[in-house]
Each structure stands twice: as structure tokens, then as C-alpha cells.
Amino acid sequence: MRTDSPQTASPQGPRKASPQTIAIWTVVALVCAAGWSVLALSRGEEVSAVWMVAAALGSYAIAYRFYSKFIAYKVLKVDKTRATPAERLDNGIDFHPTDRRVLLGHHFAAIAGAGPLVGPVLAAQMGYLPGTIWIIVGVIFAGAVQDMVVLFFSTRRDGRSLGQMAREEIGPFGGAAALLAAFAIMIILLGVLALVIVNALAQSPWGTFSIAMTIPIALLMGFYLRVLRPGRVSEVSLIGVALLLLALVAGRWVAESSWADTFTLAPSTLVIWLVAYGFVASILPVWMLLAPRDYLSTFMKIGTIALLAIGVVVSMPTLKMDPVTDFATRGDGPVFAGSLFPFVFITIACGALSGFHSLIASGTTPKMIQKETQVRMIGYGSMLMESSVAVMALIAASIIDPGLYFAMNAPAGVIGDTVQNASQVVGSWGYQISPEDLAAAAKNVEEASLLSRTGGAPTLAIGVSEIFSEVTGGGLRAFWYHFAIMFEALFILTALDAGTRVGRFMLQDTLGNLYKPFKNVSWKPGLVITSGIVCGLWGYFLWVGVHEPLGGINQLFPIFGISNQLLAAVALAVCTTLLVKSGRLKWAWITGIPLVWDATVTLTASWQKVFSSDPRVGFFKQRSVYQDGIDRGELIAPAKSMDDMHTIVTNSTVDGVLTAALALLIVIVIADATRVCIRHVRRPALSTLSETPYVESKIVAPAGLIPTKEEKEEERDAVGAAPGG
């Protein structure tokens, strides 16, 4: 069954490439090839981080120009004449046609959470080469493809959530498994995202004040665009950026003033504030807080990453981490246990392929997008931007002294709590660093100690300060370190508020199958009830993480990575099913091949996390070890009391059961999707699509950031044809 529109858009007709265009793309390809060659073939000699930037940016440019265009116009056949849900269902609350520049900022801010910052830093334990390959190749052929295809199909279905699309297109059985898995995974992801924010902001008045100030700034921007000066995106952008920079500078003033105590919050207090913020942000109209706040934070995100790339080119730092470390083959790394396959792919998570993105691409964004033709820029383009963040994070972790890297990322129970012990233990791994160097590194960034600063964020901040201080001078090293810590918190918080709203959509879709008023996602009693449930659930995981004896981020990040990739398998299964059912069988490999790879990696990791006999890897083995300790009345480090021992047993049990249950649900989804695809190929007449009927669009808007000559003419014609034009 097909429901194509009367007129399917295509890119401007085939045009012969000019000699200038051919020359430019030849240079891009040569620079890209040179970068990959140096990274892959260098053995023992010094390698500049510039080559990693060249390989990444060149690959992104080629992929966006050619592969994404092929998928958008040849496979999906995006249609600029077809009205989107934002245009047809505009209610000013959840459905609202949003300027493509603002929406690009919102979408990027919403998807770019902890994963691309933390995951690559932790994965540097295996060396810089495996992570670089997966981040770049993975995003081009899997992550960005998933995001764009999910956004397209959700836009064609009134912005339906991923779980609801699975239920409607795969069937009640596989769909129910997908709904349950997607919602459970979303709650886990939000809890871990919030935990990273708490770890970054706890006892930091500078960061807490600056982050808090982004909320009133965003409200001002929202009312400015909606009420005071509608459509004046450039004006509000300048105002927002100026106020954001003022908030950053004022944060340092506050930290040095009598107000410091007011904004110095304990982790437990931050938990309460974050849950309250998530609830409010999820029920306010999107134009009031969510879209302008995410748009605002995007300036800082993109600006900082761009400056990092420029800093790398100017300072040309050397990659000090080995291309591939011994931990990659032994699987006994101090940062995280497990072999290179599958755990590098699970740990990096969001930088290459992220199931969380599919929830945003089938959540807020399809309800705000103006034109179908914009799915390429917003879906594929935003994911390439996030991947560049992951590359910069990997560079930051790889240019610092490896001895300092392992001293910062190994748990205190392994390296001790003194620089002497840490130096000795790290040296036994083959990475030498003196106690004096460890103490000096902390002093340079005005920290008492950098030992066991796990979670990735402090390591990234050290790398950022290293790069920026090479350009601006060593006297600003401490400033850049604390700036980076605050930058990471802002980066992640924008994913938390959008994610909470998407979780609310998912729960409303599910409950709507039982009680129809919930189907209306803007029904006020429903949105308040479901927002409260979602915030309460991820708030529980956040509270557990804050009080986890093994270190919340160490215990929860593996299940975060596995859950994220399992959700990607659901998204890719739904996309493959929809490609087959909509008559695009010959193009099903575009999402089918990434699905097979992701399922293989993730289910292998799930099996090991559940059944491994290594207590550092297997949740149930870890539970058994600590339960035996309780039975013997013996404390096992890092537990400091029997209460800690019981907490570890409980949390290990919960993590193991969740991992097993989610893996089983994903197997059910993939199996049912396979059944539906085979049935369609054999008897296509039995298949139905839930795609909404074609309605002609009245909105005229460009497909990309910069309008083409033809698009400018269309906009002029539209203005001239308007009443009074």
C-alpha cells in the first residue's frame, strides 16, 4: 500500500558538476584519505590530532553531500509540497511550525547529551584508533541514517512515537514489546543523563548559577519570538548569546562572592531541583522554554566544539595515547572491564549510533518541523554534528598524559587515594607518571585532587583546558577547566528536558490505547499526570545513582550504553519494516545492515553483562560475590558498611534483571518485524500503512540552512502572493 502525494519532490534536476565543484570535492577527499592513512598506518611515531580532525570532517562532508542526499531524495522521496503535522495540527503547545534554524538548534541540543562527551573519553582506554573508526563510520552508515529515517516516517504519521509506530506497523505483539522496551530504556537513559549533571554541578556554584540563568534567558527568548518580535530569529539570537556570555562570566563572580553558598548544592538537593525542572519543562508550551533554551545552548555547544577544532589545528597537539592499548585484547581495563568487542561500541554509544535519538526524532521534532525536505539537515546533519563532538572528546582524552588519564579514570579502590599509590599502580600498567606530576596537574586547574575523577567529564575538561591554554596561555588553564565542566552540564541538561517531554509522549501514546483522551498529547490532565510519572521514575534511578557505593556512573553507564543500543535496534527494525511495507524493499539494506550489526554487538554485550563469570563484568556474578561477603560478615571494597554491601547487591540484581528483560524484548521486536517483512514480500495485499493522507502545504521554507537561488525565488513569490503582499 502506498500513500504518496500527487507530486514527489526531488532535488533540482541533474546538473553537470562545474570544474570548481569537482576540484573542491577532490581536495576534500584527498585530505580525508590522508587523515585516515596517517591514523591507520602510524606505528610508534608521533601523530598529530589534526589528522583525526581531517579524517572526521572530510568523511562527514562527503557523507552529507552524497549519501544523505541519496537517501532523502531517492529512497525516502521527501516531498516539499506535503504539509507536516506541525502545519496541519498547530496548537501552539506541542505542534508548532518552527523556523528550521531554531529547530536544528533544538534537535541537536536534545540529542547531544552525556554519550558523545563521556563515552569516547572512557573508550580511550582501548586506544584512540578503535573509537575513531567506530565514531565516524558508525555515524555515517548507522546513526545519522537512523535519525533521518525515523524523523521522516514519524513526520508522515502525525509525529507518532517510536513505540506507537512499532505497534501500528509491526503488530500488537512486537509493538507491545517495543512500547515497553522503549519506555523502560528512556527512563534509564534520563536517569543516567541526570546523574552526569549532578556529578558535574555538585559543590560548583559557578556551574550551578550559569546553568540556572539559562532558564530565564530562554523564557525571554521564547516570549520575544512569540509576542514581542515574531520571526526575528537573528535579533533574538544576538540577545540570547550576549546574555549567555554574561551568565558565564557572572558565574565566576558568584563563585567568589557571598552568594557562593546559596549556589553550592549537595547532590541530593540537585536531584530534587532537576526532577522539578524536568516536570515544568515537559508541560510548558514548546515555544516558551524548550525550543528557545535548546537553541540558546546550541550556540555554546557548537561554538565550543568549533573552537576546539580550531584550537587543535592551531596548537597541533600530539596523540599521546597508544593507537590500540593492551587493555583492548586483555579486557581487564581499570576504566571499564570487558574486551574491545563488544564493549567499545557499547561505551561510545551516542557518538556513532544512539537509540535515544530515535525518541527525539519521533517525539518533539516531527511535531515542529516545517517541511519534509528539512529531515535531511535536521536528522542526518544534527547526528554528524554530535559525532564531531565525540571525536573532539576522544581527542581531548588522547592528548593528555596516559598516566594522568588512568589516574583520573580508575576507581579509588584500585589506585588508592594518594598520589604516591596512584603513581605506583598506574606505573604497573606500563604508564609512568610521578606523584609530583599528579599533584601539579591538580594544582594547575585549582583542584585539590584529580585522582579517581571518574565519569569522563573531568578528563574531557582537562583535555579542553590543555588545548585552549596552548592558544591563550597557561595562565588561563584553570578557567578553561571549569568552563568545560560547566559546558558539559549545559550540554547534557538540554537532553534531559527534551527527553522528559518525549517520555511523556511515549507514556501518553501507551495509555491512549487504554483510555482514548490520553491520545491527545496536549490534553492537560493527561500531560500533567504522565509528566509526573516520568519524572518520578527517572528521579528514582537518579537517586539510586547518587547514593551508589560503587559509584553511580560506573555502575549505571554500562546499562546506559546497552539500553541505548538496544533501543537503536528497535528503531532500525521499525525503519526496515516501514521501508519494506512502503514499497522500498530494494533499499531495505540501508537500515537492515546497521540493524544486524547493532543487534549482534548489543545482544553479545547483554549476554556478557548478565552471565559473565567475571564480577567486574557480570551483574549477577557481582551480586553473588557481595552476597557471599554479607553471609560471611565481611566488607568488600569499595563498600564501607554492611548497608553499602546490601545496596550493591540490590542494584546489581536490578541491573541484571533489567538487562536480561530488555534484551529479551528486543529479540521479540526483531523477530516479529522479520515476520511482518516476510509476510509482506509474500502477500503484500495483507499489509496496511498508518501513514496520514496527503494534504498540500501552504508553508514555503528552505530545506537547508542557506536557501538556494530557487528557494529564495519561491519565498519571494509566496510573499508577493500573500494578502497585502
Side-chain angles (χ1 to χ4, degrees):
M1 175 183 176
R2 296 293 301 274
T3 55
D4 286 343
S5 60
Q7 176 184 351
T8 300
S10 61
Q12 282 78 26
R15 292 178 297 178
K16 188 175 181 180
S18 66
Q20 181 182 8
T21 300
I22 294 174
I24 290 173
W25 284 107
T26 301
V27 170
V28 170
L30 290 173
V31 171
C32 177
W36 279 115
S37 299
V38 172
L39 292 175
L41 302 178
S42 296
R43 292 294 181 270
E45 61 266 33
E46 290 188 347
V47 178
S48 171
V50 170
W51 293 113
M52 194 184 293
V53 173
L57 296 183
S59 299
Y60 297 152
I62 293 170
Y64 184 78
R65 170 61 180 80
F66 298 101
Y67 193 49
S68 73
K69 188 174 184 179
F70 160 74
I71 295 174
Y73 291 100
K74 181 71 174 178
V75 178
L76 301 179
K77 297 182 179 179
V78 294
D79 187 353
K80 68 179 180 181
T81 72
R82 189 185 188 107
T84 64
E87 180 178 358
R88 290 185 292 101
L89 306 175
D90 183 10
N91 61 11
I93 300 176
D94 294 311
F95 293 89
H96 180 64
T98 304
D99 185 282
R100 68 195 185 284
R101 294 161 293 185
V102 176
L103 186 58
L104 177 67
H106 157 72
H107 185 79
F108 172 68
I111 66 172
L117 295 173
V118 177
V121 172
L122 302 181
Q125 167 183 266
M126 302 292 193
Y128 65 76
L129 189 56
T132 301
I133 293 173
W134 172 235
I135 289 169
I136 298 174
V137 175
V139 75
I140 289 172
F141 295 106
V145 173
Q146 171 207 258
D147 292 11
M148 176 169 65
V149 177
V150 169
L151 177 57
F152 171 79
F153 281 125
S154 180
T155 301
R156 283 279 176 102
R157 286 158 177 76
D158 287 344
R160 285 279 190 271
S161 68
L162 177 67
Q164 190 65 21
M165 284 197 293
R167 185 178 184 276
E168 293 173 351
E169 303 294 350
I170 295 177
F173 187 60
L179 274 170
L180 181 58
F183 184 70
I185 290 170
M186 184 60 154
I187 296 301
I188 294 169
L189 299 185
L190 290 172
V192 176
L193 289 174
L195 180 59
V196 177
I197 297 172
V198 170
N199 288 344
L201 294 183
Q203 311 301 328
S204 175
W206 181 11
T208 302
F209 175 82
S210 298
I211 294 298
M213 287 305 297
T214 62
I215 298 173
I217 294 173
L219 289 170
L220 172 63
M221 292 175 65
F223 278 98
Y224 193 95
L225 276 177
R226 179 79 172 188
V227 180
L228 300 179
R229 302 273 285 175
R232 304 287 184 171
V233 177
S234 299
E235 287 181 18
V236 80
S237 300
L238 291 174
I239 294 171
V241 170
L243 291 175
L244 177 61
L245 293 175
L246 178 60
L248 294 177
V249 175
R252 193 173 196 182
W253 299 338
V254 168
E256 297 170 352
S257 73
S258 59
W259 287 11
D261 290 343
T262 303
F263 290 94
T264 303
L265 304 179
S268 298
T269 306
L270 282 168
V271 169
I272 297 170
W273 279 111
L274 279 178
V275 171
Y277 169 76
F279 176 79
V280 173
S282 69
I283 63 176
L284 288 179
V286 288
W287 62 265
M288 187 180 295
L289 177 60
L290 187 67
R293 189 185 184 286
D294 290 354
Y295 179 60
L296 172 66
S297 68
T298 298
F299 283 105
M300 184 175 175
K301 293 180 178 184
I302 296 176
T304 301
I305 296 303
L307 288 175
L308 270 176
I310 294 171
V312 168
V313 173
V314 172
S315 62
M316 301 183 69
T318 299
L319 297 170
K320 297 178 182 177
M321 186 66 75
D322 297 328
V324 183
T325 68
D326 292 339
F327 297 124
T329 53
R330 297 205 309 259
D332 60 350
V335 179
F336 63 91
S339 56
L340 189 152
F341 179 88
F343 287 104
V344 154
F345 307 100
I346 298 303
T347 302
I348 286 177
C350 303
L353 172 64
S354 172
F356 174 76
H357 297 185
S358 68
L359 302 183
I360 303 298
S362 61
T364 54
T365 305
K367 298 177 178 65
M368 301 163 69
I369 194 167
Q370 291 175 313
K371 308 292 290 184
E372 273 191 7
T373 48
Q374 295 170 356
V375 301
R376 178 186 174 210
M377 174 188 70
I378 293 171
Y380 201 96
S382 291
M383 184 53 186
L384 292 183
M385 289 160 59
E386 170 158 356
S387 185
S388 70
V389 174
V391 169
M392 295 312 303
L394 185 58
I395 288 174
S398 300
I399 65 170
I400 67 176
D401 188 294
L404 177 59
Y405 169 85
F406 285 106
M408 292 183 67
N409 289 282
V414 175
I415 63 172
D417 55 3
T418 67
V419 290
Q420 289 77 17
N421 286 342
S423 174
Q424 184 177 357
V425 174
V426 171
S428 70
W429 298 331
Y431 300 98
Q432 303 299 323
I433 187 168
S434 68
E436 291 76 20
D437 288 339
L438 286 172
K443 184 178 180 182
N444 286 340
V445 294
E446 298 179 10
E447 289 283 343
S449 173
L450 290 176
L451 299 183
S452 300
R453 297 294 299 273
T454 57
T459 304
L460 176 59
I462 286 288
V464 170
S465 68
E466 187 82 18
I467 294 170
F468 282 167
S469 63
E470 285 292 323
V471 178
T472 62
L476 291 175
R477 190 182 298 270
F479 172 84
W480 290 123
Y481 173 83
H482 289 281
F483 167 81
I485 290 290
M486 190 274 301
F487 157 74
E488 293 172 89
L490 178 62
F491 208 107
I492 299 163
L493 188 59
T494 53
L496 183 67
D497 51 24
T500 301
R501 196 180 198 94
V502 172
R504 187 250 287 180
F505 291 153
M506 294 168 64
L507 186 56
Q508 285 178 279
D509 270 347
T510 303
L511 294 178
N513 296 318
L514 303 175
Y515 184 58
K516 285 190 177 180
F518 278 104
K519 284 283 188 184
N520 178 4
V521 294
S522 300
W523 180 52
K524 287 184 171 55
L527 66 87
V528 171
I529 292 170
T530 51
S531 294
I533 293 173
V534 170
C535 291
L537 289 173
W538 67 252
Y540 164 78
F541 279 96
L542 175 58
W543 187 266
V544 168
V546 165
H547 297 88
E548 166 62 57
L550 288 176
I553 197 67
N554 293 335
Q555 189 76 339
L556 289 177
F557 205 82
I559 194 172
F560 168 89
I562 289 173
S563 300
N564 198 20
Q565 302 302 81
L566 287 174
L567 186 56
V570 173
L572 290 168
V574 171
C575 289
T576 304
T577 303
L578 283 168
L579 286 174
V580 172
K581 290 178 64 177
S582 61
R584 301 173 172 95
L585 175 62
K586 67 178 180 178
W587 305 121
W589 59 267
I590 290 172
T591 54
I593 293 176
L595 169 60
V596 172
W597 167 257
D598 181 53
T600 301
V601 169
T602 313
L603 293 175
T604 301
S606 300
W607 179 271
Q608 293 187 21
K609 292 303 292 183
V610 174
F611 297 110
S612 174
S613 59
D614 185 344
R616 296 173 303 173
V617 177
F619 287 127
F620 288 145
K621 183 62 177 178
Q622 182 184 82
R623 177 200 182 282
S624 176
V625 167
Y626 281 89
Q627 183 61 55
D628 290 345
I630 292 173
D631 295 340
R632 295 191 305 268
E634 174 188 345
L635 286 178
I636 301 175
K640 298 177 181 179
S641 67
M642 278 298 163
D643 285 342
D644 285 353
M645 296 282 288
H646 284 288
T647 299
I648 293 171
V649 168
T650 300
N651 292 345
S652 298
T653 304
V654 171
D655 289 346
V657 170
L658 274 174
T659 302
L662 292 174
L664 178 61
L665 288 171
I666 269 56
V667 169
I668 292 173
V669 173
I670 294 175
D672 211 22
T674 303
R675 176 190 63 81
V676 170
C677 290
I678 293 173
R679 186 191 67 180
H680 176 82
V681 172
R682 290 177 175 174
R683 303 180 67 183
L686 296 178
S687 297
T688 58
L689 284 176
S690 59
E691 189 173 291
T692 50
Y694 173 86
V695 174
E696 185 175 358
S697 174
K698 305 298 182 184
I699 294 177
V700 176
L705 276 179
I706 302 174
T708 63
K709 181 180 179 181
E710 293 82 1
E711 288 172 337
K712 289 179 179 178
E713 291 176 355
E714 286 181 6
E715 288 185 310
R716 283 196 294 268
D717 292 344
V719 171

